[in-house]
């Protein structure tokens, strides 16, 4: 039958209502009287119908109803994560590794003019990380309100694109923060007095050369790229986890969340042992992305495994009933 | 809060003109429009008009055992025709008269 495979594709990619109102009449007309020109036009109809659906998906994810129900929960988690992570990071970032390998705990005041860029970089990093993890609530709440999986996917892709764009746009801010942080390390290394402004050391070639950041700007660029990609990937992974957890009720959600995170963490612990197989000791590493990706993939892989098991169990239960 | 006014495009107006005498299929509309309606866009426009309440549609009656998808027939609604006429009046009223042209 003419157009059978077009029907199959359209049914697969479009919502039921869109298929019946837009694609099906076009395909029916093709079956009635159509030629090559009509075939080409139907592809265009399907593309436009798909765009129509995507617009509805975006409206469902970010529209007035979502803003009243899904987004307050998401923003609450974001605010909570942002606050907690910022406090933890404030404690960690202040520990500076001196060139001789020792860890020195610098109090805030000696950072002087470096305080502002350091804080700005830290706040941006934490906001991006918190946004990634907060997507969990977004997909969880949407799925609980019976939003189709494709709506969650489109909404998540929009958020991932936004987070990636924000991470990419703030790269100079992070770079400045890292530069000042390196200058603080170098200041202790060259024995400069604590009263010497960091901005002077940043401009000083001797001090700049002592920092890894200036010696290997290519490495920093690679890490920056991976950090930006990871921010967007975290959005996707958190959304997958949220949508998966939405399948269960009550305490089951918490138990599954703990089980998934614990399993992923345990497997992540095995990564260094596996890494040896791919990159023996002292061998050059291809890139930070390839090096860190396996550990990053553990959470989505475990989540998919839990999801697949639940789908399989549900199907068996239904078959038995 | 004031109610949002309905809007109608030139294409939608043309479709209502073509549908007014009798209900038609999508392909018939394309054939009758002398090239003003395109195959790639007419079905999307019709779906949008249906969502706005300007047209109604139904699947064609088919003999038992017929294969393929049923075609869809479109009819204008009284509301659609009313909006079209109102916009036509508005356009006429706002059109620049020769005396007003500078």
């Amino acid at each position: 039958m003419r157009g059978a495979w077009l029907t199959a594709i359209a049914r697969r990619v479009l919502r039921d209502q869109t298929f019946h109102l837009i694609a099906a009449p076009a395909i029916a007309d093709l079956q009635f009287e159509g030629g090559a020109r009509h075939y080409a036009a139907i592809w265009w109809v399907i593309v436009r119908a798909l765009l129509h659906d995507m617009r509805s998906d975006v409206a469902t994810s970010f529209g007035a109803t979502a803003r009243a129900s899904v987004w307050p929960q998401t923003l609450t988690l974001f605010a909570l994560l942002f606050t907690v992570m910022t406090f933890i990071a404030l404690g960690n970032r202040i520990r500076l590794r001196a060139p001789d390998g020792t860890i020195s705990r610098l109090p805030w005041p000696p950072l002087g003019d470096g305080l502002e860029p350091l804080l700005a970089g830290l706040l941006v990093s934490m906001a991006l990380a918190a946004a990634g993890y907060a997507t969990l609530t977004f997909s969880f709440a949407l799925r609980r309100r019976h939003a189709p999986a494709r709506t969650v996917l489109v909404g998540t892709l929009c958020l991932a694109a936004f987070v990636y764009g924000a991470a990419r746009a703030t790269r100079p801010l992070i770079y400045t923060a890292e530069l000042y942080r390196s200058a603080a390390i170098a200041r202790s290394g060259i024995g400069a007095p604590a009263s010497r402004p960091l901005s002077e050391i940043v401009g000083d070639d001797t001090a700049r050369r002592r920092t890894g950041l200036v010696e290997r700007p290519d490495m920093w660029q690679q890490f920056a790229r991976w950090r930006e990609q990871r921010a967007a990937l975290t959005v996707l992974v958190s959304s997958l986890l949220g949508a998966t957890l939405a399948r269960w009720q009550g305490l089951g959600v918490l138990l599954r969340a703990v089980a998934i995170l614990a399993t992923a963490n345990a497997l992540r612990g095995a990564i260094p042992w596996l890494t040896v197989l791919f990159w023996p000791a002292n061998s050059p590493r291809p890139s930070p992305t390839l090096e860190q990706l396996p550990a990053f993939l553990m959470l989505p892989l475990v989540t998919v495994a839990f999801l697949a098991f639940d789908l399989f169990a549900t199907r068996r239960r239904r078959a038995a009933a | 809060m004031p109610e949002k006014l309905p809007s109608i495009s030139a294409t939608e107006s043309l479709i209502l003109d073509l549908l007014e005498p009798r209900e038609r299929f999508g392909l018939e509309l394309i054939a009758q429009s002398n090239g003003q309606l395109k195959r790639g866009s007419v079905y999307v426009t019709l779906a949008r008009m249906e969502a706005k309440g300007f047209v109604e549609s139904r699947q064609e009656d088919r003999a038992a055992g017929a294969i393929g998808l049923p075609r869809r027939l479109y009819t204008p609604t009284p509301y659609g025709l009313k909006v079209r006429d109102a916009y036509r009046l508005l356009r006429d009223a706002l059109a620049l008269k020769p005396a007003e042209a500078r």
Side-chain angles (χ1 to χ4, degrees), chain A residues 1 22 29 31-32 38 48, chain B residues 27 39 41 43 68-69 71:
Chain A
M1 187 180 57
I22 300 178
D29 282 346
Q31 288 168 342
F32 185 75
H38 201 76
R48 289 194 62 173
Chain B
L27 266 187
R39 288 161 186 260
S41 60
Y43 301 101
L69 290 169
R71 301 172 79 195

Side-chain angles (χ1 to χ4, degrees), chain A:
Chain A
M1 187 180 57
R2 187 190 288 170
W5 56 278
L6 268 173
T7 311
I9 291 172
R11 260 190 213 283
R12 203 106 182 96
V13 299
L14 299 175
R15 287 181 179 193
D16 276 355
Q17 197 190 7
T18 313
F19 172 77
H20 288 299
L21 287 180
I22 300 178
I27 297 170
D29 282 346
L30 164 82
Q31 288 168 342
F32 185 75
E33 47 161 342
R37 270 187 68 202
H38 201 76
Y39 256 111
I42 286 181
W43 276 115
W44 182 230
V45 170
I46 291 174
V47 169
R48 289 194 62 173
L50 199 58
L51 289 174
H52 175 272
D53 270 359
M54 284 174 74
R55 205 167 51 204
S56 305
D57 291 332
V58 171
T60 309
S61 302
F62 303 99
T65 316
R67 282 203 302 274
S69 56
V70 174
W71 282 99
Q73 296 174 21
T74 308
L75 291 175
T76 306
L77 183 67
F78 169 77
L80 185 74
L81 287 173
F82 177 64
T83 311
V84 171
M85 288 164 74
T86 302
F87 273 105
I88 293 173
L90 279 174
N92 283 339
R93 290 290 167 92
I94 209 159
R95 285 159 50 136
L96 301 175
R97 188 179 290 277
D100 60 359
T102 59
I103 303 284
S104 64
R105 247 181 204 283
L106 284 184
W108 286 103
L111 286 172
D113 56 341
L115 191 63
E116 280 175 22
L118 202 74
L119 269 181
L122 185 137
L123 289 175
V124 166
S125 302
M126 292 308 110
L128 290 172
Y133 296 123
T135 317
L136 188 145
T137 319
F138 166 76
S139 60
F140 183 87
L142 267 183
R143 284 297 275 167
R144 273 294 165 88
R145 282 162 180 78
H146 308 292
R150 53 170 294 155
T151 301
V152 179
L153 179 68
V154 171
T156 305
L157 287 174
C158 290
L159 285 175
F162 172 76
V163 166
Y164 181 76
R168 183 71 190 81
T170 51
R171 190 192 280 189
L173 207 67
I174 307 281
Y175 182 77
T176 311
E178 291 285 309
L179 204 60
Y180 272 86
R181 191 164 163 266
S182 301
I185 298 167
R187 183 165 61 182
S188 63
I190 60 175
S195 57
R196 190 176 172 196
L198 287 182
S199 51
E200 263 183 35
I201 299 174
V202 167
D204 181 355
D205 275 353
T206 318
R208 284 163 69 92
R209 271 199 297 277
R210 294 181 76 97
T211 62
L213 186 61
V214 181
E215 280 171 359
R216 293 297 307 275
D218 56 324
M219 276 295 284
W220 191 87
Q221 293 286 344
Q222 281 188 343
F223 272 110
R225 268 198 293 276
W226 164 239
R227 191 163 36 204
E228 288 149 15
Q229 290 159 1
R230 194 180 52 192
L233 286 172
T234 303
V235 172
L236 300 179
V237 173
S238 301
S239 178
L240 173 69
L241 183 59
T244 305
L245 290 175
R247 297 178 61 81
W248 295 292
Q249 301 287 331
L251 195 61
V253 176
L254 191 65
L255 289 175
R256 257 72 166 213
V258 170
I260 290 172
L261 292 174
T263 313
N265 218 28
L267 289 173
R268 205 176 283 147
I271 289 288
W273 302 97
L274 295 171
T275 309
V276 175
L277 297 175
F278 298 107
W279 296 298
N282 300 326
S283 67
R285 302 296 165 91
S287 74
T289 308
L290 278 179
E291 200 179 345
Q292 295 185 27
L293 199 59
F296 184 85
L297 286 177
M298 280 304 136
L299 183 58
L301 287 177
V302 172
T303 308
V304 168
F306 268 74
L307 179 64
F309 181 77
D310 186 56
L311 285 170
F312 177 71
T314 310
R315 190 169 291 179
R316 280 196 67 175
R317 267 200 306 274
R318 278 194 191 142

Side-chain angles (χ1 to χ4, degrees), chain B residues 62-74:
Chain B
R62 282 150 54 98
I67 55 162
L69 290 169
R71 301 172 79 195
R72 194 166 274 273
L73 285 154
Y74 298 90

